[in-house]
Amino acid sequence: MKRVFTGLAGLLLLAVIAQFYLAASGAFDKAPIEEAFQPHRMLGYAILGLSVVLVVAGAVARVPGRLIGMAGLVVGLVLVQSLIREVAKAFGDGSPVGDLVFGLHAVNALAIVGVIATLVRRSRQGAAATPAKPRQPVS
């Protein structure tokens, strides 16, 4: 089960990397803003769901508490992404303050990548150190 946790963490890292691509793609799209960023937004919801699943998988797999905590931190940081967007929107789209606040969206995304990359690395080290249990014969 610990390998499932590690695999989910790796999948989450790939999803966040794809999220950067979708953000850049939306930024240079000629479509209206809401339409251009729709794929980015939808993947963001999937990332939130996957990060919650990762926390649950970590608890079920009984991975070290630090790893579960890091997975929980990812959930929190992903929620902060939406909060940043809403606060920036409250200041007005295109306003200097709104743009300044929205810039934190990218900074927070870098923090998310850093936490997930660390989580993947540490969970891989833990999974490699844990030998697989031999299967018991079914009677």
Side-chain angles (χ1 to χ4, degrees), residues 1-130:
M1 189 68 182
K2 291 180 181 180
R3 290 189 177 161
V4 170
F5 178 82
T6 301
L8 286 172
L11 180 63
L12 186 58
L13 182 59
L14 290 175
V16 172
I17 291 168
Q19 188 71 324
F20 273 92
Y21 172 81
L22 291 175
S25 176
F28 294 105
D29 197 335
K30 303 245 188 277
I33 298 278
E34 288 301 314
E35 185 181 319
F37 283 99
Q38 188 63 23
H40 176 76
R41 195 171 303 109
M42 296 310 292
L43 183 56
Y45 295 136
I47 288 170
L48 176 60
L50 184 57
S51 61
V52 170
V53 168
L54 185 64
V55 172
V56 173
V60 169
R62 297 181 186 253
V63 299
R66 285 183 186 247
L67 294 180
I68 296 172
M70 289 177 74
L73 177 60
V74 172
V75 172
L77 289 171
V78 171
L79 289 171
V80 167
Q81 287 293 80
S82 295
L83 180 64
I84 290 170
R85 179 177 179 261
E86 293 304 317
V87 170
K89 211 191 304 186
F91 282 109
D93 288 334
S95 74
V97 175
D99 288 347
L100 185 64
V101 170
F102 196 68
L104 295 173
H105 190 78
V107 174
N108 190 52
L110 291 174
I112 291 170
V113 168
V115 172
I116 297 172
T118 302
L119 181 61
V120 168
R121 183 175 40 82
R122 288 186 180 173
S123 68
R124 289 179 83 192
Q125 290 169 348
T130 306

